[in-house]
């Protein structure tokens, strides 16, 4: 059995068409068919149900595909691990983070890290916590900076810092000149939320529940900047972290006197998954220095 046969099997299992899979692999269709036939002979059972040139994995193929995917993944990670060890001060870190962290903290954090390790580069992505967790589990990111949500195995999450949440109102709002406020005072105000499932919305709803209030929701947004823009337009108020780096000329941030309003941001990774030396360096840097960028 040749290593190439595993690639052929995995590609055919994904495309499920002999001619199209052969084209994707840049080999002839007869050559692919012969290779798969030999592969099945060595395994001892058919792995596909044939219907002309279209084929479908059978129950044996579905079981074996999982093993092949894991085996090829381990091979490539092992190869990458060796390459990384040859030059641990180079490499790429794939990092996901919340939209609300992008305006100031993330650029400052990355700039500080790269002043120590200028040859380490980043592949960045942003989104809500639930999306980031799916991408982290799927291997799109090595690390993510996000709120905790419901962290279970295989995720590891370590807290880094707490962020204060402020009541955000338009500049001409009746509360705009207040130096502090309570959540009870905004119970009847039209409220602008992030969409359901976002970690910040979950945190805000928990705070409302603890305060015994249910403000009427008038709009929902996908990003904090969008919510702030709707507030600036006079469409309602909201509860958000300090939006450093965004236009605040038309909104006012009011500290909440009661109850204490904050959320925790932490760093997450998948337990047991290989992290390159570059990624481990950034992981340790963030855990040691995150509070320097509050």
């Amino acid at each position: 059995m040749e290593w190439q046969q595993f690639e052929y099997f995995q590609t055919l299992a994904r495309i499920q068409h002999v001619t199209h899979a052969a084209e994707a692999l840049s080999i002839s269709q007869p050559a692919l068919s012969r290779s798969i036939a030999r592969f099945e002979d060595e395994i001892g059972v058919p792995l596909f149900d044939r219907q002309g040139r279209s084929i479908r994995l059978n129950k044996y193929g579905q079981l074996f595909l999982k093993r092949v995917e894991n085996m090829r993944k381990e091979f490539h990670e092992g190869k990458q691990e060796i390459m990384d060890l040859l030059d641990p001060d180079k490499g790429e870190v794939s990092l996901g983070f919340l939209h609300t962290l992008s305006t100031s903290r993330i650029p400052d954090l990355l700039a500080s890290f790269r002043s120590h390790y200028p040859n380490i580069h980043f592949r960045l992505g942003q989104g809500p916590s639930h999306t980031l967790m799916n991408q982290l589990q799927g291997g799109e990111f090595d690390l993510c900076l996000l709120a905790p949500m419901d962290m279970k195995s295989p995720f590891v999450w370590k807290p880094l810092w707490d962020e204060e949440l402020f009541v955000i109102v338009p500049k001409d709002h009746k509360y705009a000149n207040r130096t502090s406020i309570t959540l009870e005072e905004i119970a009847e105000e039209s409220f602008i939320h992030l969409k359901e499932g976002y970690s910040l919305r979950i945190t805000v709803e928990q705070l409302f529940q603890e305060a015994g209030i249910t403000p009427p929701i008038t709009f929902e947004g996908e990003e904090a900047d969008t919510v702030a823009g709707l507030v600036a337009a006079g469409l309602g108020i909201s509860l958000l972290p300090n939006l450093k780096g965004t236009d605040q000329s038309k909104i006012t941030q009011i500290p909440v006197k009661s109850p204490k309003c904050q959320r925790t941001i932490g760093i997450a990774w998948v337990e047991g998954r290989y992290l390159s030396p570059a990624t481990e360096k950034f992981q340790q840097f963030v855990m040691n220095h995150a509070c320097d960028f509050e």
Side-chain angles (χ1 to χ4, degrees):
M1 186 175 292
E2 299 176 0
W3 178 253
Q4 201 172 43
Q5 289 179 292
F6 292 102
E7 180 186 3
Y8 290 174
F9 167 69
Q10 192 177 30
T11 301
L12 186 56
R14 174 173 54 85
I15 296 177
Q16 299 194 80
H17 192 283
V18 177
T19 302
H20 296 162
E23 291 173 352
L25 292 164
S26 298
I27 62 173
S28 69
Q29 180 266 319
L32 176 60
S33 296
R34 288 194 299 270
S35 177
I36 294 298
R38 289 196 303 270
F39 192 72
E40 290 177 317
D41 286 343
E42 294 195 46
I43 299 301
V45 294
L47 302 173
F48 296 92
D49 293 329
R50 271 83 172 169
Q51 296 176 343
R53 294 190 186 278
S54 295
I55 63 176
R56 187 177 300 276
L57 280 176
N58 60 27
K59 64 178 182 180
Y60 303 113
Q62 291 173 355
L63 177 66
F64 195 62
L65 177 61
K66 295 178 182 178
R67 300 292 186 179
V68 170
E69 288 176 338
N70 289 336
M71 181 178 65
R72 295 194 73 220
K73 178 174 175 289
E74 288 291 330
F75 172 79
H76 289 298
E77 286 186 355
K79 185 178 177 181
Q80 184 62 50
E81 185 173 359
I82 292 172
M83 293 175 64
D84 291 336
L85 289 173
L86 294 175
D87 195 346
D89 289 330
K90 289 185 178 179
E92 180 183 79
V93 179
S94 58
L95 176 68
F97 54 89
L98 296 173
H99 284 108
T100 49
L101 302 178
S102 62
T103 54
S104 61
R105 190 185 295 266
I106 294 298
D108 292 346
L109 193 60
L110 298 185
S112 179
F113 177 77
R114 294 199 71 227
S115 70
H116 295 86
Y117 304 101
N119 295 319
I120 292 178
H121 301 280
F122 287 85
R123 180 169 55 83
L124 305 174
Q126 53 187 343
S129 286
H130 60 282
T131 300
L132 293 175
M133 287 173 65
N134 289 334
Q135 293 173 310
L136 181 63
Q137 187 166 21
E140 293 181 50
F141 297 124
D142 300 316
L143 305 168
C144 284
L145 299 175
L146 41 68
M149 295 197 67
D150 186 17
M151 292 292 179
K152 297 178 180 177
S153 180
F155 298 107
V156 180
W157 182 88
K158 298 293 184 182
L160 297 174
W161 68 79
D162 293 326
E163 282 192 332
E164 184 178 2
L165 302 180
F166 300 85
V167 171
I168 310 296
V169 301
K171 282 289 187 182
D172 59 357
H173 194 274
K174 64 182 179 181
Y175 292 141
N177 294 323
R178 295 282 297 272
T179 57
S180 65
I181 198 168
T182 65
L183 291 188
E184 288 81 0
E185 292 178 273
I186 66 169
E188 304 302 322
E189 294 287 324
S190 297
F191 198 83
I192 302 174
H193 248 317
L194 288 171
K195 289 189 174 181
E196 289 189 0
Y198 284 42
S199 61
L200 182 55
R201 173 159 180 166
I202 294 171
T203 297
V204 171
E205 287 181 335
Q206 289 173 343
L207 290 168
F208 285 167
Q209 185 176 14
E210 293 169 6
I213 65 173
T214 309
I217 301 172
T218 53
F219 292 95
E220 295 177 333
E222 293 186 352
E223 296 184 19
D225 285 349
T226 302
V227 172
L230 294 173
V231 171
L235 301 177
I237 69 171
S238 193
L239 192 65
L240 296 171
N242 188 357
L243 301 177
K244 297 177 181 178
T246 62
D247 182 10
Q248 299 186 28
S249 61
K250 296 181 180 179
I251 59 175
T252 297
Q253 296 186 157
I254 309 172
V256 180
K257 180 168 55 178
S258 174
K260 186 176 184 179
C261 290
Q262 65 180 29
R263 67 169 178 175
T264 302
I265 300 298
I267 186 169
W269 63 92
V270 175
E271 186 175 15
R273 179 178 293 168
Y274 168 71
L275 297 178
S276 70
T279 301
E280 288 186 335
K281 284 181 179 180
F282 180 72
Q283 178 190 47
Q284 197 61 49
F285 180 86
V286 171
M287 294 175 68
N288 290 340
H289 300 286
C291 292
D292 298 343
F293 301 92
E294 292 189 44

